[in-house]
Amino acid sequence: PELKVKMNKLYVMLSSIIIIYSCGEGKEKEGNIPKPPTFLRVDLPVHKYEKTTMDLPYSFEIPELYKANIIHKNNLDIKMGMLNNSTLKMSYKRLDDQDTVSLRDLIDFTYKKLDNHKSKASEIESQSIRDSEKGVYGTFFELKGDVAVPFQFYFTDSLNSILFGEVTLGSTPNWSTMQGELMYAKKDILRIFNSFEWINQ
């Protein structure tokens, strides 16, 4: 009987050691489970817009955070407030009788600029605008992925005027960490795109 009691105590001790070790090992393994990456939360202000009042042959609604400067006649450099010192460049061209290129050539050129970034883009989405009453025709492109130019667009009046716009990032492109800011900027660029109109065309 005494031997049986000792054997039972030994069995209980061994069982306890195994249980304790198993629990400790489980916690250690649990501590090694990789956690999903986390990113800094960026607090972005409410979108607010105002109509441009610059002396240009076109107008649109611009975010209040953006700062626009006229560069070389009717071209614009627009500093984008919340997108890492990024710039929206808008280039305007009106054809005259001396030009050797056609409106079709200039539209094709915008697609060639888009092709320059296709290799880095994981996806490209587009949407078009056709307003015959205002004479505004154009296409907006969103390039997803680690691209230096995430947004491009162009407008034409289908006669002799064209405007090309593109957003150039002010930092190394990283779509996963910049997704919040890019989606915020997309809403702003679409507001510009959808409110665009020609003046005195």
Side-chain angles (χ1 to χ4, degrees):
E2 187 178 347
L3 179 62
K4 187 174 182 181
V5 170
K6 287 183 178 179
M7 290 297 292
N8 285 340
K9 284 184 178 179
L10 182 61
Y11 175 78
V12 170
M13 287 175 63
L14 288 173
S15 299
S16 299
I17 291 171
I18 291 171
I19 291 170
I20 291 170
Y21 179 78
S22 299
C23 291
E25 185 180 31
K27 287 181 180 178
E28 186 179 346
K29 286 181 180 178
E30 183 181 348
N32 291 331
I33 295 174
K35 294 180 173 57
T38 57
F39 307 114
L40 291 174
R41 180 174 174 268
V42 179
D43 291 318
L44 298 170
V46 176
H47 296 271
K48 293 182 180 179
Y49 305 95
E50 57 190 7
K51 195 80 170 177
T52 55
T53 57
M54 294 171 285
D55 184 19
L56 295 167
Y58 53 88
S59 70
F60 52 88
E61 292 181 15
I62 188 171
E64 289 184 354
L65 289 173
Y66 290 16
K67 302 298 180 186
N69 294 303
I70 299 177
I71 306 295
H72 188 59
K73 296 182 179 179
N74 296 313
N75 301 331
L76 287 179
D77 264 14
I78 303 174
K79 296 300 180 183
M80 303 170 65
M82 297 300 294
L83 192 57
N84 297 325
N85 296 317
S86 300
T87 305
L88 167 59
K89 295 181 179 292
M90 299 176 71
S91 304
Y92 170 83
K93 172 68 175 174
R94 182 178 175 88
L95 297 176
D96 57 36
D97 295 336
Q98 306 303 315
D99 286 303
T100 57
V101 296
S102 67
L103 200 58
R104 183 71 257 173
D105 292 332
L106 295 175
I107 292 173
D108 288 343
F109 176 72
T110 66
Y111 281 90
K112 287 179 182 176
K113 288 180 71 70
L114 185 69
D115 288 341
N116 293 336
H117 305 285
K118 277 186 176 179
S119 61
K120 290 289 185 73
S122 59
E123 183 181 356
I124 298 177
E125 294 183 356
S126 66
Q127 53 183 285
S128 297
I129 185 169
R130 296 180 61 84
D131 190 331
S132 57
E133 197 171 306
K134 292 183 178 180
V136 175
Y137 308 90
T139 305
F140 167 85
F141 302 96
E142 177 186 3
L143 295 86
K144 296 183 179 180
D146 297 338
V147 292
V149 179
F151 307 109
Q152 291 186 9
F153 58 83
Y154 76 87
F155 295 104
T156 176
D157 62 358
S158 79
L159 297 171
N160 50 21
S161 292
I162 188 169
L163 182 139
F164 174 74
E166 66 177 6
V167 172
T168 304
L169 296 181
S171 60
T172 302
N174 189 325
W175 193 84
S176 60
T177 59
M178 297 176 66
Q179 189 173 358
E181 291 96 326
L182 288 170
M183 292 303 97
Y184 182 93
K186 178 183 177 180
K187 184 172 182 178
D188 288 338
I189 303 301
L190 281 175
R191 183 63 169 256
I192 292 172
F193 182 77
N194 290 312
S195 63
F196 182 88
E197 58 185 4
W198 303 109
I199 297 176
N200 299 326
Q201 292 294 85

